[in-house]
Structures are given as structure tokens and as C-alpha cells.
Amino acid sequence: MWTPSEQGSEMMALWIIITGFLVGLLVGLTGMGGALLMTPLLILIYGFSPTMAVGTDLVYAAVTKAAGALQHFKQKTVDWDVVKKLALGSIPGGIIGVILIGFLHQSPAFSFDLILKKFLGIIFILFAVMMLVRLLWTREKAEGKLVKNRSLKRVGFLGGLLVGITSVGSGSLFILFLMSRTSLSAALLVGTDVVHAFFLTLSTGMLHATFGNVDWVFVSYLLMGSIPGILLGGRLTLHVPDKLLRGFIICILLATGVMML
């Protein structure tokens, strides 16, 4: 576990708060990219093992998404039917992913952290490419509201498995799917994605915590910065070009993915 006294007292704590603020600001501005940015930062800058970074990020994400979920609940911008069907697949998938990490981490046959680090690098690059495609090519017309429950559950399971193992995709992966397969309004799209992400990150994050993969002190410092950052980012959305920010995130992801490989 991290403590301020171990890493250079109050100055390190300040940098952690600033990190939380910057990531929260970007998430508030773009609506996605929290885990895609936080997990590599924890590994590359703060020296976390990949397993500890995943668990810490999931708990951090669950708390930050709780505020957004509550806001969308009050605004009634949540499609609860879609949330339920996605969660029926994603929560079991996420639990299996966390258990898989715990099992593989015990194996002396290979360095799981090293493999996970390279796997995360590949995931970051893939998500950067997906975000770039979305940035350059946006459909003008939706294809109609999703009607197949099995598709929701299947995608939920696969996405949950990925989130449980890597912490990545609780927002980005599912919003890409919902955008391509539903006719939800923008407000319902974001609200549904945030609420589902809250349930998924909460369940997987708490399970990671039972395995000791969460640094609670570090999480508390991150939240001191991220909550104000998210609130400020939400207010700035009308003034900062969305494509500019998403392009910045894409560049970071590509560079990070290459470094981790």
C-alpha cells in the first residue's frame, strides 16, 4: 500500500491529486477515457504493478461514476432495460475476469504482471484506433434501437471480462457498441453508459479489493482531484472543441501502448 511518507511526503500527494484532477477533467470533457488514461499512469509514472493498477483504477472509477450515475438518475436519462440486460452479461464476465487474474497471479510458471502489461499495451492501441475511427467517421443516422437481448448479454459478458482483467472499457467499449446498435438519444446514451459502468466497476472493483489489489490511500488522493476535475470538465464542454480533446487522448493512448509493449 502507498503512503505519503513512503514516497516523499506531501509533494507526492499533491502530484497524485493533480493527476486525479487532470484525468477527471478529461473525462468530464469527453465522457470517456478514464481507465484508458489512469491505468497506464499508475503503471508508468507511479510504479504500480499491472494487477494493483487495475484494481485501484476500478475502485476509483466506481466512486467517480457514482456521482454521474446519481445525476443521470435524477435527470431520468437512463434506459434501465438496456442497463439490466448489459449487466446480466457484464457483471458475471467481470467477476470471472477478476478471478482469472487471481488464479494466474498465483502461478509460478510465468510472470503474469509482465504478460498483463503487454496485453494492456495492445488494448490501449486497439482502443486508440477505435476512438480514431469514431472521431473521423460518425454516422449521421442511427440504425434503429437494439432489439436482440442476446446481443446485449453477449457483448456485456465479453466487455465485462475485459474490464475485470484490465479495468479498460467500462465506458468506452460499451458506448461504442450502444452508439452503433441503438437509436438512443445522446443524453440517454451517456446516462445509460455511465450507470451501467458504475455497476460493473463497483462489482469488479470490490472483488479486486478482496484479493488485496486496491491501494485505498492512493484512491482517496485521486478522488480529491478527480471530483472537482469532472465537475469543471462538465462545465467546459460548451467551450472546448470535443474533437481536439479526443485527439489528445488518442495520441496518449497510442504512445502509452507502444511504451508498454
Side-chain angles (χ1 to χ4, degrees), residues 138-157:
T138 304
R139 295 186 180 184
E140 297 292 334
K141 196 173 182 180
E143 294 182 352
K145 189 172 177 65
L146 185 70
V147 294
K148 291 186 178 180
N149 295 347
R150 290 183 181 179
S151 296
L152 280 172
K153 293 176 184 177
R154 189 180 303 117
V155 169
F157 178 82

Side-chain angles (χ1 to χ4, degrees), residues 117-243:
K117 185 176 180 180
K118 293 187 178 300
F119 180 63
L120 284 169
I122 295 171
I123 292 297
F124 295 145
I125 293 173
L126 289 176
F127 267 82
V129 173
M130 291 169 65
M131 291 173 68
L132 180 61
V133 170
R134 181 185 170 196
L135 186 69
L136 299 176
W137 179 68
T138 304
R139 295 186 180 184
E140 297 292 334
K141 196 173 182 180
E143 294 182 352
K145 189 172 177 65
L146 185 70
V147 294
K148 291 186 178 180
N149 295 347
R150 290 183 181 179
S151 296
L152 280 172
K153 293 176 184 177
R154 189 180 303 117
V155 169
F157 178 82
L158 294 174
L161 186 66
L162 178 65
V163 171
I165 295 174
T166 69
S167 83
V168 173
S170 64
S172 306
L173 177 65
F174 290 103
I175 204 168
L176 285 169
F177 175 74
L178 292 176
M179 283 184 66
S180 65
R181 298 296 300 277
T182 76
S183 57
L184 295 176
S185 66
L188 276 173
L189 183 70
V190 174
T192 300
D193 182 64
V194 168
V195 171
H196 169 257
F198 163 69
F199 288 118
L200 177 56
T201 54
L202 179 65
S203 58
T204 52
M206 290 300 99
L207 189 55
H208 265 288
T210 65
F211 288 119
N213 295 336
V214 177
D215 189 326
W216 294 99
V217 176
F218 205 95
V219 167
S220 66
Y221 280 98
L222 286 174
L223 291 173
M224 288 181 194
S226 68
I227 293 176
I230 289 172
L231 295 175
L232 177 60
R235 292 189 177 186
L236 292 175
T237 51
L238 298 177
H239 306 288
V240 180
D242 180 73
K243 286 191 174 184

Side-chain angles (χ1 to χ4, degrees), residues 68-80 83 184-195:
L70 179 61
Q71 181 180 7
H72 284 286
F73 172 75
K74 291 179 178 179
Q75 294 175 173
K76 298 182 179 180
T77 51
V78 180
D79 188 321
W80 289 102
V83 169
L184 295 176
S185 66
L188 276 173
L189 183 70
V190 174
T192 300
D193 182 64
V194 168
V195 171

